[in-house]
Amino acid sequence: MEKFRISGGRPLRGRIGISGAKNSALPCMAASLLTPETVTLHNIPYVRDIITQRRLLEDLGSTVLTPELRTNKITASNIELFEAPYELVKTMRASVLALGPLLARFGKAKVSLPGGCAIGTRPIDLHLTAFQALGAEVSLEAGDVVARAPSGGRLRGSEVRFDKVTVTGTENLMMAAALAVGTTKLHNAAREPEITDLAELLNKMGARVRGAGTPTITIEGVEALGGAEHTIIPDRIETGTFLVAAAITKGELEIYNCRPEHLAIVIAKLREVGVLIEEVNQSTLRVSCCPKGLTARDVETEPHPRFPTDMQAQYMALMTQAEGKSVITETIFENRFMHASEMQRMGARIQIEAHRATVEGATVLTGARVQASDLRASASLVLAGLAAEGETIIDRVYHIDRGYEKIEDKLRSVGAEIERLRDSITTPLNAPEQAVAAEIA
Ligand code: UD1
């Protein structure tokens, strides 16, 4: 199992470029299943989840060409299989994004039901109820969700009200409704920038999607979609993570190829705690820390445009370095504080009560051996390690490879002392993980 070794206490200085957003690339890749023509996507990040998604598309029968490292040309003209198997869904929950496009174009789809994951139970009931509203028959067969379009093979446009805001649920339904007969209205839709990015791609393919980025999205179904070319937006969570990296190491970074308006609330919160952030231009931020030190401030995670759950762990790392008490409330996932106990091992003072964490700062963190439990938790431990005195070893960094492109190279280029250790004793990975690990190595 690979590890990171970090020698902390070095201020980061220099420039870091932001990669494409994984959470936008995944649904855009799935959208290629809606057409037999070629969909060309640029600015695809080179991370493990993308390789998994590519494998899924290829298993289904798509051809994926990579004329350049970050460009995928995907053609789904020969789809022979209509299912996302358990091995892939358990490695990456976003495989469920195949469901909407397959159901819409071929009238049938089977996806293994995702189980729990490290951050809690993550059902897809809202996706399924919404497909039923569009006329699909949905059944559970031996752990798989099997969905069929009504007779005639096409879904029917309908009113859908999500009981809870769901990002991949909104994306799945936008894709399904794009080829339905009639108009679909999605109420209480997610408003994340990744939703707007997918809508843009769908519209380039000939879909009629309006209102993406607002709570009500209207999709007028069309008979067929065509090929398109699209550039994926920059990753707002990677941007936020590097903003915190500069602040927590008392360094100064210029972060380019980003979209500051996609993380307005994160920037506002960081400014509130004392981080200096300057918008150099529409795609560049300069961040430095902090003439008067950091002041603790509470935060609550909520759907976009409020504070993202995907920045909660990194914010907690920062709060260990802020003066005073901060209360961090997690409202999206029930079990997303696993990084807290690892930070405690580094000397952080954190108390967890249900979905609330109270951090008392500022503490001097000291290097320790810690374990990553999920993607964003791993990022927060890297940040804590960069701020800590001495050496931190982070185990199970395959989690971070799912969503951050070469994070250790980017951090090293701005002065961090971080290296990847390859172990001789490895915990066995399952087959798709092994394939992906081999490809990313
Ligand atoms: C997406 C992001 C993930 C981010 C999350 C919340 C991708 C690939 N992943 O995940 O990085 O942390 O949004 O911003 O884009 N829920 C249900 N039933 C459902 C669907 C969701 O109860 O059918 C619940 C979930 O358990 C969770 C909440 O709704 O409590 C939000 O989940 P959702 O927005 O669906 O998260 P994902 O789309 O899986």
Side-chain angles (χ1 to χ4, degrees):
M1 197 95 357
E2 293 184 357
K3 301 177 177 57
F4 279 158
R5 177 165 49 206
I6 302 175
S7 297
R10 287 166 178 69
L12 303 186
R13 286 187 206 290
R15 302 183 80 228
I16 286 191
I18 297 301
S19 300
K22 160 186 91 74
N23 284 357
S24 185
L26 291 173
C28 288
M29 290 170 79
S32 68
L33 291 168
L34 287 163
T35 173
E37 295 180 14
T38 301
V39 172
T40 302
L41 300 172
H42 303 289
N43 204 28
I44 298 262
Y46 196 58
V47 298
R48 207 157 61 104
D49 273 6
I50 296 296
I51 298 168
T52 310
Q53 187 77 330
R54 175 183 172 151
R55 185 133 301 140
L56 169 62
L57 295 177
E58 288 175 334
D59 284 356
L60 297 175
S62 296
T63 311
V64 186
L65 300 177
T66 312
E68 290 164 38
L69 183 62
R70 290 180 181 77
T71 296
N72 278 357
K73 278 170 127 42
I74 312 172
T75 313
S77 54
N78 269 325
I79 299 300
E80 286 151 2
L81 199 74
F82 306 94
E83 70 175 89
Y86 182 63
E87 280 64 38
L88 283 177
V89 179
K90 81 168 194 241
T91 317
M92 185 188 66
R93 224 184 142 273
S95 327
V96 300
L97 285 165
L99 199 47
L102 288 177
L103 183 59
R105 181 163 154 220
F106 302 101
K108 55 185 170 184
K110 186 159 125 180
V111 171
S112 198
L113 197 61
C117 68
I119 60 177
T121 53
R122 290 175 75 179
I124 56 163
D125 55 314
L126 300 173
H127 305 222
L128 302 183
T129 318
F131 289 137
Q132 283 169 327
L134 267 61
E137 251 180 51
V138 178
S139 56
L140 187 65
E141 295 172 16
D144 295 327
V145 172
V146 179
R148 284 187 190 83
S151 59
R154 283 181 72 191
L155 296 168
R156 293 188 299 262
S158 178
E159 296 274 326
V160 172
R161 182 170 296 281
F162 290 109
D163 288 343
K164 209 170 176 180
V165 175
T166 160
V167 176
T168 47
T170 303
E171 291 163 350
N172 237 338
L173 265 292
M174 272 164 57
M175 293 189 279
L179 286 179
V181 179
T183 300
T184 299
K185 256 194 181 176
L186 304 178
H187 301 278
N188 199 26
R191 287 184 273 168
E192 271 67 2
E194 293 76 22
I195 302 282
T196 313
D197 204 30
L198 174 64
E200 252 179 54
L201 169 65
L202 291 172
N203 287 339
K204 287 179 189 168
M205 293 167 70
R208 297 195 189 128
V209 182
R210 280 177 287 128
T214 76
T216 307
I217 302 178
T218 307
I219 306 122
E220 254 179 81
V222 296
E223 264 189 36
L225 293 171
E229 188 159 350
H230 184 70
T231 300
I232 302 294
I233 53 171
D235 195 311
R236 64 197 163 97
I237 305 301
E238 190 195 20
T239 309
T241 303
F242 287 132
L243 288 176
V244 174
I248 208 167
T249 63
K250 301 188 175 63
E252 184 168 349
L253 288 178
E254 195 164 282
I255 299 175
Y256 62 95
N257 282 351
C258 62
R259 286 276 285 273
E261 78 268 25
H262 288 169
L263 65 159
I265 189 93
V266 172
I267 292 173
K269 181 55 73 178
L270 294 179
R271 282 181 175 149
E272 215 183 299
V273 306
V275 183
L276 299 180
I277 302 176
E278 183 194 338
E279 233 174 283
V280 179
N281 57 43
Q282 282 176 345
S283 61
T284 309
L285 289 168
R286 188 172 299 131
V287 51
S288 59
C289 196
C290 309
K292 296 186 195 129
L294 295 166
T295 313
R297 286 278 183 274
D298 298 348
V299 88
E300 186 165 327
T301 63
E302 279 177 88
H304 195 79
R306 309 299 305 161
F307 196 90
T309 175
D310 284 352
M311 277 300 298
Q312 177 260 106
Q314 302 89 316
Y315 186 79
M316 187 182 288
L318 187 65
M319 283 304 94
T320 67
Q321 302 305 298
E323 280 305 325
K325 199 184 266 188
S326 53
V327 178
I328 300 176
T329 308
E330 171 60 56
T331 75
I332 310 288
F333 293 111
E334 79 247 27
N335 187 24
R336 210 177 193 180
F337 284 141
M338 278 175 345
H339 41 280
S341 51
E342 301 301 300
M343 287 181 200
Q344 281 165 346
R345 305 186 63 246
M346 299 173 74
R349 287 199 297 268
I350 304 170
Q351 273 193 330
I352 307 287
E353 258 177 84
H355 58 288
R356 219 164 249 131
T358 306
V359 186
E360 262 183 76
T363 42
V364 175
L365 296 180
T366 44
R369 200 167 174 145
V370 292
Q371 187 152 304
S373 53
D374 69 67
L375 171 56
R376 307 304 170 186
S378 331
S380 74
L381 295 177
V382 168
L383 295 169
L386 292 172
E389 288 177 356
E391 186 176 280
T392 296
I393 305 272
I394 305 175
D395 215 337
R396 295 179 167 261
V397 295
Y398 62 85
H399 286 294
I400 211 162
D401 294 331
R402 284 189 42 217
Y404 287 86
E405 185 174 308
K406 296 187 187 300
I407 190 169
E408 75 269 35
D409 292 353
K410 289 191 185 186
L411 287 170
R412 235 189 341 259
S413 76
V414 291
E417 208 166 294
I418 174 170
E419 65 174 326
R420 187 179 287 256
L421 307 175
R422 293 178 207 272
D423 230 19
S424 51
I425 305 164
T426 52
T427 308
L429 301 176
N430 62 31
E433 282 174 342
Q434 274 173 19
V436 163
E439 215 163 315
I440 210 159

